[in-house]
mmCIF file of all heavy atoms in Angstrom:
data_model
loop_
_atom_site.group_PDB
_atom_site.id
_atom_site.type_symbol
_atom_site.label_atom_id
_atom_site.label_comp_id
_atom_site.label_asym_id
_atom_site.label_seq_id
_atom_site.Cartn_x
_atom_site.Cartn_y
_atom_site.Cartn_z
ATOM 1 N N GLU J 150 -17.797 -41.753 33.690
ATOM 2 C CA GLU J 150 -18.915 -40.874 34.003
ATOM 3 C C GLU J 150 -18.418 -39.472 34.370
ATOM 4 O O GLU J 150 -18.963 -38.461 33.919
ATOM 5 C CB GLU J 150 -19.721 -41.469 35.153
ATOM 6 C CG GLU J 150 -20.951 -40.687 35.519
ATOM 7 C CD GLU J 150 -21.723 -41.345 36.642
ATOM 8 O OE1 GLU J 150 -21.890 -42.581 36.626
ATOM 9 O OE2 GLU J 150 -22.159 -40.601 37.545
ATOM 10 N N GLU J 151 -17.373 -39.413 35.186
ATOM 11 C CA GLU J 151 -16.805 -38.126 35.582
ATOM 12 C C GLU J 151 -16.222 -37.389 34.380
ATOM 13 O O GLU J 151 -16.394 -36.177 34.239
ATOM 14 C CB GLU J 151 -15.735 -38.340 36.644
ATOM 15 C CG GLU J 151 -15.248 -37.058 37.264
ATOM 16 C CD GLU J 151 -14.317 -37.284 38.439
ATOM 17 O OE1 GLU J 151 -14.332 -38.371 39.030
ATOM 18 O OE2 GLU J 151 -13.573 -36.346 38.760
ATOM 19 N N LEU J 152 -15.552 -38.121 33.496
ATOM 20 C CA LEU J 152 -15.006 -37.509 32.285
ATOM 21 C C LEU J 152 -16.115 -36.927 31.430
ATOM 22 O O LEU J 152 -15.999 -35.816 30.909
ATOM 23 C CB LEU J 152 -14.197 -38.533 31.482
ATOM 24 C CG LEU J 152 -13.629 -38.039 30.157
ATOM 25 C CD1 LEU J 152 -12.668 -36.878 30.367
ATOM 26 C CD2 LEU J 152 -12.953 -39.180 29.414
ATOM 27 N N SER J 153 -17.210 -37.655 31.311
ATOM 28 C CA SER J 153 -18.347 -37.170 30.534
ATOM 29 C C SER J 153 -18.902 -35.876 31.130
ATOM 30 O O SER J 153 -19.203 -34.923 30.405
ATOM 31 C CB SER J 153 -19.434 -38.240 30.492
ATOM 32 O OG SER J 153 -20.568 -37.768 29.825
ATOM 33 N N LYS J 154 -19.010 -35.812 32.460
ATOM 34 C CA LYS J 154 -19.495 -34.601 33.112
ATOM 35 C C LYS J 154 -18.550 -33.430 32.881
ATOM 36 O O LYS J 154 -18.984 -32.303 32.638
ATOM 37 C CB LYS J 154 -19.661 -34.843 34.617
ATOM 38 C CG LYS J 154 -20.826 -35.716 34.971
ATOM 39 C CD LYS J 154 -20.900 -35.936 36.471
ATOM 40 C CE LYS J 154 -22.008 -36.881 36.848
ATOM 41 N NZ LYS J 154 -22.052 -37.152 38.286
ATOM 42 N N ILE J 155 -17.261 -33.696 32.951
ATOM 43 C CA ILE J 155 -16.262 -32.644 32.743
ATOM 44 C C ILE J 155 -16.329 -32.131 31.309
ATOM 45 O O ILE J 155 -16.268 -30.917 31.070
ATOM 46 C CB ILE J 155 -14.850 -33.159 33.095
ATOM 47 C CG1 ILE J 155 -14.737 -33.367 34.604
ATOM 48 C CG2 ILE J 155 -13.770 -32.190 32.606
ATOM 49 C CD1 ILE J 155 -13.485 -34.081 35.038
ATOM 50 N N GLU J 156 -16.460 -33.043 30.357
ATOM 51 C CA GLU J 156 -16.562 -32.625 28.956
ATOM 52 C C GLU J 156 -17.821 -31.810 28.723
ATOM 53 O O GLU J 156 -17.793 -30.811 27.997
ATOM 54 C CB GLU J 156 -16.519 -33.848 28.039
ATOM 55 C CG GLU J 156 -15.147 -34.484 27.967
ATOM 56 C CD GLU J 156 -15.145 -35.811 27.225
ATOM 57 O OE1 GLU J 156 -16.223 -36.450 27.090
ATOM 58 O OE2 GLU J 156 -14.058 -36.218 26.779
ATOM 59 N N ASP J 157 -18.935 -32.196 29.344
ATOM 60 C CA ASP J 157 -20.175 -31.421 29.235
ATOM 61 C C ASP J 157 -19.997 -30.028 29.814
ATOM 62 O O ASP J 157 -20.424 -29.033 29.228
ATOM 63 C CB ASP J 157 -21.328 -32.130 29.947
ATOM 64 C CG ASP J 157 -21.775 -33.400 29.250
ATOM 65 O OD1 ASP J 157 -21.434 -33.588 28.058
ATOM 66 O OD2 ASP J 157 -22.469 -34.210 29.902
ATOM 67 N N ARG J 158 -19.346 -29.955 30.967
ATOM 68 C CA ARG J 158 -19.110 -28.660 31.611
ATOM 69 C C ARG J 158 -18.195 -27.775 30.764
ATOM 70 O O ARG J 158 -18.410 -26.577 30.638
ATOM 71 C CB ARG J 158 -18.496 -28.891 33.004
ATOM 72 C CG ARG J 158 -18.176 -27.630 33.752
ATOM 73 C CD ARG J 158 -19.411 -26.931 34.252
ATOM 74 N NE ARG J 158 -19.015 -25.801 35.077
ATOM 75 C CZ ARG J 158 -19.544 -24.604 34.984
ATOM 76 N NH1 ARG J 158 -20.525 -24.384 34.157
ATOM 77 N NH2 ARG J 158 -19.114 -23.629 35.740
ATOM 78 N N LEU J 159 -17.187 -28.389 30.150
ATOM 79 C CA LEU J 159 -16.276 -27.652 29.285
ATOM 80 C C LEU J 159 -17.020 -27.084 28.082
ATOM 81 O O LEU J 159 -16.834 -25.919 27.720
ATOM 82 C CB LEU J 159 -15.131 -28.552 28.830
ATOM 83 C CG LEU J 159 -14.078 -27.920 27.928
ATOM 84 C CD1 LEU J 159 -13.406 -26.740 28.614
ATOM 85 C CD2 LEU J 159 -13.043 -28.955 27.522
ATOM 86 N N ARG J 160 -17.882 -27.894 27.469
ATOM 87 C CA ARG J 160 -18.680 -27.396 26.342
ATOM 88 C C ARG J 160 -19.584 -26.251 26.774
ATOM 89 O O ARG J 160 -19.737 -25.256 26.073
ATOM 90 C CB ARG J 160 -19.522 -28.536 25.749
ATOM 91 C CG ARG J 160 -18.766 -29.423 24.793
ATOM 92 C CD ARG J 160 -19.700 -30.339 24.015
ATOM 93 N NE ARG J 160 -20.294 -31.362 24.868
ATOM 94 C CZ ARG J 160 -19.700 -32.491 25.215
ATOM 95 N NH1 ARG J 160 -18.479 -32.746 24.803
ATOM 96 N NH2 ARG J 160 -20.319 -33.371 25.974
ATOM 97 N N GLU J 161 -20.168 -26.383 27.961
ATOM 98 C CA GLU J 161 -21.032 -25.336 28.490
ATOM 99 C C GLU J 161 -20.256 -24.039 28.709
ATOM 100 O O GLU J 161 -20.720 -22.956 28.353
ATOM 101 C CB GLU J 161 -21.633 -25.826 29.804
ATOM 102 C CG GLU J 161 -22.542 -24.855 30.492
ATOM 103 C CD GLU J 161 -23.020 -25.393 31.834
ATOM 104 O OE1 GLU J 161 -23.438 -26.564 31.891
ATOM 105 O OE2 GLU J 161 -22.952 -24.633 32.821
ATOM 106 N N LEU J 162 -19.060 -24.146 29.280
ATOM 107 C CA LEU J 162 -18.243 -22.959 29.514
ATOM 108 C C LEU J 162 -17.811 -22.304 28.209
ATOM 109 O O LEU J 162 -17.785 -21.074 28.104
ATOM 110 C CB LEU J 162 -17.018 -23.315 30.354
ATOM 111 C CG LEU J 162 -17.289 -23.632 31.819
ATOM 112 C CD1 LEU J 162 -16.029 -24.163 32.479
ATOM 113 C CD2 LEU J 162 -17.799 -22.410 32.549
ATOM 114 N N LYS J 163 -17.456 -23.112 27.223
ATOM 115 C CA LYS J 163 -17.057 -22.558 25.930
ATOM 116 C C LYS J 163 -18.226 -21.856 25.246
ATOM 117 O O LYS J 163 -18.037 -20.859 24.553
ATOM 118 C CB LYS J 163 -16.504 -23.660 25.029
ATOM 119 C CG LYS J 163 -15.117 -24.104 25.426
ATOM 120 C CD LYS J 163 -14.596 -25.171 24.474
ATOM 121 C CE LYS J 163 -13.185 -25.583 24.832
ATOM 122 N NZ LYS J 163 -12.673 -26.627 23.916
ATOM 123 N N ALA J 164 -19.438 -22.361 25.448
ATOM 124 C CA ALA J 164 -20.620 -21.767 24.822
ATOM 125 C C ALA J 164 -21.001 -20.430 25.453
ATOM 126 O O ALA J 164 -21.508 -19.539 24.775
ATOM 127 C CB ALA J 164 -21.798 -22.728 24.906
ATOM 128 N N THR J 165 -20.748 -20.271 26.759
ATOM 129 C CA THR J 165 -21.151 -19.037 27.433
ATOM 130 C C THR J 165 -20.187 -17.889 27.184
ATOM 131 O O THR J 165 -20.550 -16.734 27.345
ATOM 132 C CB THR J 165 -21.277 -19.247 28.958
ATOM 133 O OG1 THR J 165 -20.021 -19.669 29.467
ATOM 134 C CG2 THR J 165 -22.349 -20.246 29.289
ATOM 135 N N GLY J 166 -18.979 -18.204 26.801
ATOM 136 C CA GLY J 166 -18.004 -17.154 26.533
ATOM 137 C C GLY J 166 -17.343 -16.665 27.801
ATOM 138 O O GLY J 166 -17.569 -17.187 28.889
ATOM 139 N N PRO J 167 -16.509 -15.648 27.689
ATOM 140 C CA PRO J 167 -15.750 -15.162 28.844
ATOM 141 C C PRO J 167 -16.638 -14.449 29.861
ATOM 142 O O PRO J 167 -17.664 -13.876 29.520
ATOM 143 C CB PRO J 167 -14.744 -14.188 28.232
ATOM 144 C CG PRO J 167 -15.374 -13.750 26.957
ATOM 145 C CD PRO J 167 -16.201 -14.907 26.472
ATOM 146 N N VAL J 168 -16.231 -14.523 31.107
ATOM 147 C CA VAL J 168 -16.909 -13.821 32.187
ATOM 148 C C VAL J 168 -15.893 -12.851 32.782
ATOM 149 O O VAL J 168 -14.771 -13.239 33.095
ATOM 150 C CB VAL J 168 -17.393 -14.821 33.272
ATOM 151 C CG1 VAL J 168 -18.013 -14.083 34.436
ATOM 152 C CG2 VAL J 168 -18.357 -15.819 32.681
ATOM 153 N N TYR J 169 -16.287 -11.615 32.897
ATOM 154 C CA TYR J 169 -15.379 -10.590 33.390
ATOM 155 C C TYR J 169 -15.686 -10.283 34.852
ATOM 156 O O TYR J 169 -16.826 -10.273 35.268
ATOM 157 C CB TYR J 169 -15.491 -9.324 32.545
ATOM 158 C CG TYR J 169 -15.106 -9.566 31.116
ATOM 159 C CD1 TYR J 169 -16.080 -9.782 30.145
ATOM 160 C CD2 TYR J 169 -13.779 -9.627 30.738
ATOM 161 C CE1 TYR J 169 -15.717 -10.034 28.829
ATOM 162 C CE2 TYR J 169 -13.414 -9.876 29.434
ATOM 163 C CZ TYR J 169 -14.392 -10.073 28.485
ATOM 164 O OH TYR J 169 -14.036 -10.330 27.189
ATOM 165 N N ILE J 170 -14.640 -10.022 35.605
ATOM 166 C CA ILE J 170 -14.767 -9.668 37.014
ATOM 167 C C ILE J 170 -13.944 -8.399 37.242
ATOM 168 O O ILE J 170 -12.851 -8.257 36.703
ATOM 169 C CB ILE J 170 -14.307 -10.833 37.918
ATOM 170 C CG1 ILE J 170 -14.556 -10.505 39.376
ATOM 171 C CG2 ILE J 170 -12.870 -11.210 37.674
ATOM 172 C CD1 ILE J 170 -14.427 -11.704 40.295
ATOM 173 N N THR J 171 -14.507 -7.518 38.023
ATOM 174 C CA THR J 171 -13.833 -6.246 38.264
ATOM 175 C C THR J 171 -12.894 -6.355 39.467
ATOM 176 O O THR J 171 -13.006 -7.263 40.285
ATOM 177 C CB THR J 171 -14.859 -5.136 38.539
ATOM 178 O OG1 THR J 171 -15.527 -5.429 39.777
ATOM 179 C CG2 THR J 171 -15.867 -5.008 37.418
ATOM 180 N N ALA J 172 -12.015 -5.387 39.575
ATOM 181 C CA ALA J 172 -11.096 -5.336 40.713
ATOM 182 C C ALA J 172 -11.889 -5.161 42.006
ATOM 183 O O ALA J 172 -11.524 -5.720 43.048
ATOM 184 C CB ALA J 172 -10.092 -4.205 40.531
ATOM 185 N N GLU J 173 -12.979 -4.416 41.943
ATOM 186 C CA GLU J 173 -13.803 -4.207 43.136
ATOM 187 C C GLU J 173 -14.439 -5.516 43.598
ATOM 188 O O GLU J 173 -14.511 -5.788 44.796
ATOM 189 C CB GLU J 173 -14.895 -3.161 42.859
ATOM 190 C CG GLU J 173 -15.758 -2.844 44.050
ATOM 191 C CD GLU J 173 -14.985 -2.315 45.256
ATOM 192 O OE1 GLU J 173 -13.948 -1.654 45.079
ATOM 193 O OE2 GLU J 173 -15.431 -2.587 46.393
ATOM 194 N N GLN J 174 -14.877 -6.361 42.674
ATOM 195 C CA GLN J 174 -15.449 -7.653 43.043
ATOM 196 C C GLN J 174 -14.399 -8.547 43.705
ATOM 197 O O GLN J 174 -14.690 -9.245 44.675
ATOM 198 C CB GLN J 174 -16.037 -8.348 41.816
ATOM 199 C CG GLN J 174 -17.290 -7.682 41.290
ATOM 200 C CD GLN J 174 -17.713 -8.239 39.942
ATOM 201 O OE1 GLN J 174 -16.884 -8.462 39.065
ATOM 202 N NE2 GLN J 174 -19.004 -8.464 39.789
ATOM 203 N N ILE J 175 -13.193 -8.515 43.177
ATOM 204 C CA ILE J 175 -12.103 -9.287 43.773
ATOM 205 C C ILE J 175 -11.799 -8.763 45.171
ATOM 206 O O ILE J 175 -11.627 -9.538 46.121
ATOM 207 C CB ILE J 175 -10.839 -9.237 42.894
ATOM 208 C CG1 ILE J 175 -11.103 -9.967 41.575
ATOM 209 C CG2 ILE J 175 -9.639 -9.823 43.612
ATOM 210 C CD1 ILE J 175 -10.011 -9.803 40.552
ATOM 211 N N ARG J 176 -11.761 -7.457 45.326
ATOM 212 C CA ARG J 176 -11.496 -6.844 46.624
ATOM 213 C C ARG J 176 -12.580 -7.230 47.635
ATOM 214 O O ARG J 176 -12.283 -7.563 48.795
ATOM 215 C CB ARG J 176 -11.431 -5.319 46.480
ATOM 216 C CG ARG J 176 -10.860 -4.614 47.684
ATOM 217 C CD ARG J 176 -10.661 -3.119 47.471
ATOM 218 N NE ARG J 176 -9.754 -2.842 46.368
ATOM 219 C CZ ARG J 176 -10.102 -2.283 45.190
ATOM 220 N NH1 ARG J 176 -11.349 -1.920 44.969
ATOM 221 N NH2 ARG J 176 -9.221 -2.075 44.251
ATOM 222 N N GLN J 177 -13.860 -7.216 47.209
ATOM 223 C CA GLN J 177 -14.953 -7.577 48.102
ATOM 224 C C GLN J 177 -14.843 -9.037 48.548
ATOM 225 O O GLN J 177 -15.046 -9.352 49.723
ATOM 226 C CB GLN J 177 -16.300 -7.350 47.412
ATOM 227 C CG GLN J 177 -16.672 -5.904 47.263
ATOM 228 C CD GLN J 177 -17.930 -5.710 46.433
ATOM 229 O OE1 GLN J 177 -18.470 -6.653 45.860
ATOM 230 N NE2 GLN J 177 -18.399 -4.474 46.365
ATOM 231 N N LYS J 178 -14.525 -9.929 47.621
ATOM 232 C CA LYS J 178 -14.387 -11.345 47.952
ATOM 233 C C LYS J 178 -13.218 -11.546 48.911
ATOM 234 O O LYS J 178 -13.313 -12.308 49.871
ATOM 235 C CB LYS J 178 -14.189 -12.156 46.677
ATOM 236 C CG LYS J 178 -14.309 -13.631 46.877
ATOM 237 C CD LYS J 178 -15.618 -14.013 47.533
ATOM 238 C CE LYS J 178 -16.549 -14.683 46.591
ATOM 239 N NZ LYS J 178 -17.753 -15.208 47.274
#
């Protein structure tokens, strides 16, 4: 069940494409 969830999440991440974060966002965090 956990493997299935991970595979679903991986497919979802691949479908959304890259997410960019700025240096300012990293600094704020």
Side-chain angles (χ1 to χ4, degrees):
E150 183 179 317
E151 189 173 339
L152 177 61
S153 176
K154 288 179 184 177
I155 290 170
E156 288 172 340
D157 291 343
R158 179 73 174 134
L159 181 60
R160 278 192 290 278
E161 179 184 313
L162 288 172
K163 285 182 178 180
T165 60
V168 176
Y169 298 99
I170 185 167
T171 66
E173 182 59 31
Q174 290 170 317
I175 293 171
R176 193 174 300 112
Q177 287 173 353
K178 192 54 108 173

